[in-house]
Amino acid sequence: MYPFKFNAILKERIWGGTKLKEVLNKEATGETIGESWELSDVKGESSVVAKGALKGKTLQELSETFQEELLGSKVYETFGTKFPLLIKYIDAQKDLSIQVHPNDALAKERHNSFGKTEMWYVMQADEGAKLMVGFNQEVTKEQYQEHLENNTLTQILNFEPVKKGDVFFLPTGRIHAIGGGILLAEIQQTSDITYRIYDWNRVDANGNSRELHTALALDAIDYSYYKNYKTNYQELPNQITNLVDCPYFTTNLLPFIGELSLNHHDKDSFVIYLCVKGNVTLSTETYEEQLKQGETLLLPACIKNIKVMAKEASELLEVYIK
């Protein structure tokens, strides 16, 4: 077992742009590449190992072959060989549709799927860029429906100006949308279940609107109002800072320069590293791997000690399951 890099799965989207190619150096062609799936076990979209002795194997095959060695015994007991997280980089050149994701119970009942709790880490934002998360006031289901029917939904939505380093945690039920001009990393449960609520009255080249899931969304939405939707944290150089700690994943930020030794003996889980800034060398006793901005690496649960080294100021997101 060694630290795994996977081939990116690039997705063309109506709202996508060129930052995945221009900023993150993805091998993308086309002007509307919206998503790079870095680590996926979504059915029919399983990531493929990019290098090393197991090059060409899928994440699904690794999970089935190595089980606890790769996943950790607790993760394996809970999820079996289904890899529980989906990791993406997203480039929104235009606003995404306003959407919501169902919780585990609803997703299981309707789609035989997990729900989709997720988080965003903003890597770059154009001047004036905003994203939409939650409501800006207390709302009832009936009031929400009224605004939807009257095409005034945006009046009750919370829009947030964003900058690099901003973090948003999105539990299931919280309505949200990435705004145009934002490049971010997204960490989420393995699920591709999305209910599209509002799509800015957009049509495609043939004059067709995208499908909306108005009825399905009604029972999935959390209509509560919260005073703050952004995660507050203090970034400290060469120290691990916790960003999100939820039942589905824990995410930490590690800004550093120089060399650090990281010990994972307290974790019974794989660890994922996303390089969100700079250039990092990650090494085990027997293997060394380079991780540049926009690249992602999966560290098997059986590897407990690693060293990370950066000659320039760099930042890693560290993701695992408690």
Side-chain angles (χ1 to χ4, degrees):
M1 296 294 279
Y2 57 96
F4 294 108
K5 265 182 168 178
F6 293 84
N7 297 323
I9 302 170
L10 299 175
K11 300 281 187 181
E12 204 156 329
R13 297 289 188 243
I14 191 172
W15 41 260
T18 56
K19 286 181 187 174
L20 293 175
K21 178 171 66 176
E22 292 166 359
V23 181
L24 301 188
N25 295 307
K26 299 294 176 187
E27 292 179 8
T29 54
E31 301 298 304
T32 55
I33 305 299
E35 300 185 13
S36 175
W37 290 21
E38 297 290 301
L39 204 50
S40 164
D41 196 20
V42 171
K43 192 174 179 182
E45 302 275 11
S46 192
S47 296
V48 175
V49 178
K51 57 199 294 193
L54 294 166
K55 180 180 177 179
K57 296 288 184 188
T58 65
L59 179 56
Q60 180 62 50
E61 288 174 315
L62 294 185
S63 298
E64 287 170 358
T65 304
F66 297 103
Q67 300 176 353
E68 291 104 326
E69 266 190 281
L70 177 76
L71 302 168
S73 55
K74 190 178 170 190
V75 175
Y76 179 63
E77 280 167 27
T78 307
F79 298 98
T81 58
K82 184 73 180 167
F83 195 81
L85 297 180
L86 174 58
I87 308 295
K88 302 176 182 177
Y89 294 114
I90 295 178
D91 169 24
Q93 186 177 10
K94 298 173 183 167
D95 295 342
L96 272 71
S97 61
I98 293 168
Q99 52 193 241
V100 71
H101 306 301
N103 61 27
D104 284 346
L106 212 50
K108 178 77 176 166
E109 178 192 323
R110 292 176 175 176
H111 314 283
N112 195 29
S113 169
F114 292 120
K116 192 159 141 183
T117 291
E118 59 189 4
M119 68 160 284
W120 292 330
Y121 177 87
V122 177
M123 295 171 67
Q124 183 272 333
D126 296 349
E127 194 174 338
K130 295 179 181 180
L131 50 76
M132 183 263 126
V133 54
F135 294 102
N136 61 19
Q137 57 191 269
E138 289 289 349
V139 177
T140 64
K141 186 191 283 192
E142 292 70 31
Q143 287 169 326
Y144 162 82
Q145 284 179 282
E146 201 175 300
H147 280 285
L148 199 58
E149 285 162 15
N150 294 336
N151 208 21
T152 56
L153 184 63
T154 55
Q155 291 178 9
I156 57 171
L157 302 178
N158 174 58
F159 291 88
E160 301 252 3
V162 291
K163 62 184 186 310
K164 185 203 169 300
D166 282 350
V167 172
F168 291 87
F169 176 59
L170 303 164
T172 54
R174 184 166 296 173
I175 65 173
H176 58 274
I178 305 170
I182 297 173
L183 176 69
L184 56 75
E186 181 175 88
I187 294 146
Q188 59 165 89
Q189 288 175 270
T190 294
S191 169
D192 207 23
I193 307 298
T194 295
Y195 296 156
R196 194 179 294 127
I197 293 166
Y198 180 69
D199 198 28
W200 314 103
N201 303 315
R202 267 191 292 227
V203 292
D204 64 17
N206 300 317
N208 300 316
S209 304
R210 290 198 295 173
E211 184 187 1
L212 298 178
H213 310 99
T214 309
L216 286 172
L218 280 178
D219 294 330
I221 294 171
D222 173 7
Y223 295 96
S224 309
Y225 163 67
Y226 299 90
K227 285 184 179 175
N228 184 33
Y229 293 95
K230 189 158 72 169
T231 299
N232 296 315
Y233 68 94
Q234 188 176 1
E235 183 177 319
L236 298 168
N238 288 31
Q239 289 190 41
I240 292 173
T241 301
N242 180 247
L243 301 179
V244 168
D245 204 353
C246 76
Y248 304 105
F249 54 83
T250 294
T251 301
N252 300 322
L253 175 67
L254 177 55
F256 75 104
I257 188 166
E259 189 173 298
L260 293 175
S261 293
L262 301 177
N263 179 321
H264 294 306
H265 286 279
D266 60 335
K267 299 178 182 69
D268 186 8
S269 166
F270 57 83
V271 182
I272 301 164
Y273 285 103
L274 295 83
C275 184
V276 291
K277 178 184 174 183
N279 194 337
V280 177
T281 302
L282 187 146
S283 55
T284 67
E285 287 179 8
T286 57
Y287 197 84
E288 187 172 284
E289 187 60 86
Q290 199 80 8
L291 209 56
K292 298 173 187 168
Q293 183 186 33
E295 292 188 324
T296 305
L297 181 138
L298 174 63
L299 187 72
C302 63
I303 299 176
K304 296 301 183 185
N305 294 303
I306 59 166
K307 282 186 178 173
V308 290
M309 199 271 285
K311 292 179 180 175
E312 58 184 287
S314 299
E315 292 176 4
L316 292 173
L317 292 183
E318 177 185 79
V319 184
Y320 57 94
I321 295 178
K322 278 191 173 172

